[in-house]
Amino acid sequence: MLDRLESQYKKILSDYLTDQTERNLYIAQNFTRQLIKKNVSPEDVVSIHKNAVSKILPDRMREEQPAYDFLIEVMVHYGMAHREHQSLLQKQAEYELEMKIATNIQKTLLKTVVPHLTDVDIGMVSIPIRKMNGDYVHFLHGREDYLSVAVTDVVGKGVPAALCMSMVKYGLETLEYTYKDPTYVLEVINRVIEKGVDDSMFVSMFYGCLDLQKNTFSYASAGHEPALHYCARRDEFFTLEAKGLLLGVLPETKYIYKEITLEKNDIILMMTDGVTEFRSHEEWNSREIITALIAKNKHLTAQELCNLLYKQIEELQDFKLSDDFTVVILKK
């Protein structure tokens, strides 16, 4: 094959040296497509050119022979590096395609629908820093008298985290008649995760249930960021802290729940640590910043508060959030 290509190239080069026209160059450019199609390596192209020159201009090759030999050696290594680079680009393109498909699947499977209630205003913002979200919010509102919210954060990213989230969602959706008990919910999800995920992956969750008739909010936590309660009557914030082990660590872990009463204009703020961890400004007290912002703008709707909180924290961190950002606000 190379002998035939060399003969063709010798004719093209000879014509160009004689005429030096645009048409000669055009023919040469078309010939390169043939070389690419036949997967001719860069060093072979140099060798073809060298042999053609030696036949067309034999006298000049005595001086130029070492230079061509040097160029062939260089092109051997160049060709190897180029092929490796192209292989990496192809693998990267395949990976990006797979990630795009996985991201679309995650958005479809883990889509969160925010309920619309008469007595409770609900807002939510969940923004991933990468293509796939490591946070997940799930609402349970099968009846008019209860609203439950699960705010979840997987310790891990990418496709494994998305698969773990799918297990969390499946577990939550099986709790159709028992979702009013935060401790039972966490214990069930803990067993599901402990059996089904790798030992290196853990999940934190804050689970709250609002009794719409009694106006009580019961909650439990599995190693999750504590929620905040704004009491409108006292114009004061309280931390809703309930200690509990991360989900997926031990199969028979027990959890405790606490309960508060909600009054008119009270606010519950549930979030992941992407909201509270200012890694670029560790000296700042993130909770003081959050509570001051909520107190100043408590007249806004729950969704407006979520949007404002995201915008302000993003600006404070120079638009470089270090983790997925998820916040859910309930306003009585």
Side-chain angles (χ1 to χ4, degrees):
M1 181 187 71
L2 285 178
D3 290 341
R4 185 167 57 84
L5 291 174
E6 185 178 310
S7 177
Q8 292 175 330
Y9 184 79
K10 175 177 173 291
K11 175 67 167 60
I12 295 170
L13 178 60
S14 178
D15 291 343
Y16 174 74
L17 293 175
T18 302
D19 302 327
Q20 297 188 22
T21 65
E22 290 294 329
R23 183 176 180 279
N24 297 135
L25 287 175
Y26 177 74
I27 293 172
Q29 290 167 359
N30 286 335
F31 183 72
T32 61
R33 296 189 181 95
Q34 184 178 346
L35 296 175
I36 293 171
K37 187 176 181 180
K38 294 184 180 298
N39 200 27
V40 178
S41 66
E43 62 269 23
D44 285 337
V45 174
V46 175
S47 181
I48 289 172
H49 180 77
K50 169 192 167 184
N51 293 336
V53 172
S54 66
K55 292 176 182 178
I56 298 171
L57 304 169
D59 293 337
R60 292 178 57 178
M61 282 304 296
R62 294 189 186 93
E63 296 179 2
E64 297 181 7
Q65 178 83 30
Y68 275 108
D69 292 340
F70 176 81
L71 181 57
I72 289 173
E73 290 298 319
V74 170
M75 293 308 291
V76 167
H77 294 284
Y78 169 81
M80 293 171 59
H82 181 70
R83 285 190 289 272
E84 183 179 354
H85 178 66
Q86 291 300 115
S87 176
L88 290 173
L89 288 178
Q90 183 177 353
K91 290 179 180 178
Q92 183 180 2
E94 292 172 356
Y95 172 76
E96 288 179 354
L97 178 60
E98 290 176 357
M99 283 299 296
K100 183 178 180 180
I101 294 171
T103 301
N104 291 335
I105 292 173
Q106 185 196 38
K107 288 179 179 177
T108 301
L109 292 178
L110 304 181
K111 184 178 180 180
T112 301
V113 179
V114 179
H116 295 280
L117 307 180
T118 304
D119 298 328
V120 181
D121 183 21
I122 306 172
M124 185 189 84
V125 167
S126 186
I127 308 292
I129 60 169
R130 298 182 181 90
K131 292 183 178 181
M132 302 194 75
N133 201 340
D135 295 346
Y136 175 58
V137 177
H138 191 87
F139 292 95
L140 290 162
H141 180 58
R143 304 174 183 177
E144 287 299 318
D145 50 350
Y146 287 94
L147 169 70
S148 290
V149 186
V151 180
T152 311
D153 185 1
V154 173
V155 181
K157 304 297 178 187
V159 175
L163 293 174
C164 184
M165 286 300 185
S166 299
M167 295 178 63
V168 171
K169 179 180 182 180
Y170 171 77
L172 290 169
E173 288 181 339
T174 63
L175 301 171
E176 184 177 358
Y177 301 106
T178 54
Y179 67 89
K180 295 176 287 185
D181 184 348
T183 57
Y184 180 77
V185 170
L186 291 183
E187 288 166 10
V188 169
I189 301 301
N190 177 62
R191 288 195 291 271
V192 170
I193 294 174
E194 197 277 332
K195 290 180 180 179
V197 303
D198 185 82
D199 291 341
S200 63
M201 185 169 290
F202 307 105
V203 179
S204 72
M205 179 184 290
F206 182 93
Y207 190 90
C209 182
L210 176 60
D211 186 325
L212 298 170
Q213 302 300 319
K214 297 180 181 179
N215 293 322
T216 56
F217 183 77
S218 56
Y219 60 94
S221 176
H224 198 80
E225 186 73 22
L228 288 169
H229 169 217
Y230 171 71
C231 178
R233 177 173 53 84
R234 297 172 60 176
D235 191 25
E236 191 174 353
F237 282 89
F238 299 91
T239 299
L240 302 184
E241 196 153 6
K243 294 182 179 179
L245 193 63
L246 287 164
L247 301 173
V249 179
L250 297 173
E252 299 302 325
T253 302
K254 297 297 181 181
Y255 297 91
I256 60 171
Y257 84 92
K258 296 182 180 181
E259 186 176 278
I260 60 171
T261 299
L262 291 187
E263 300 176 357
K264 185 178 180 180
N265 294 324
D266 277 13
I267 296 172
I268 298 291
L269 189 147
M270 295 164 277
M271 56 205 154
T272 57
D273 56 12
V275 180
T276 57
E277 289 187 1
F278 295 175
R279 294 177 186 175
S280 57
H281 300 282
E282 295 181 357
E283 71 280 5
W284 292 356
N285 188 319
S286 59
R287 287 185 165 258
E288 287 184 0
I289 293 172
I290 292 168
T291 54
L293 183 67
I294 297 296
K296 182 180 178 181
N297 299 278
K298 57 183 179 288
H299 59 281
L300 298 176
T301 67
Q303 188 59 51
E304 288 171 339
L305 283 173
C306 288
N307 294 341
L308 180 63
L309 187 61
Y310 173 71
K311 180 180 178 182
Q312 292 296 319
I313 289 180
E314 189 184 34
E315 288 181 1
L316 285 173
Q317 299 197 59
D318 301 320
F319 301 94
K320 296 177 182 178
L321 295 178
S322 56
D323 201 355
D324 301 325
F325 182 104
T326 297
V327 59
V328 178
I329 290 180
L330 308 181
K331 188 175 182 182
K332 189 74 172 70

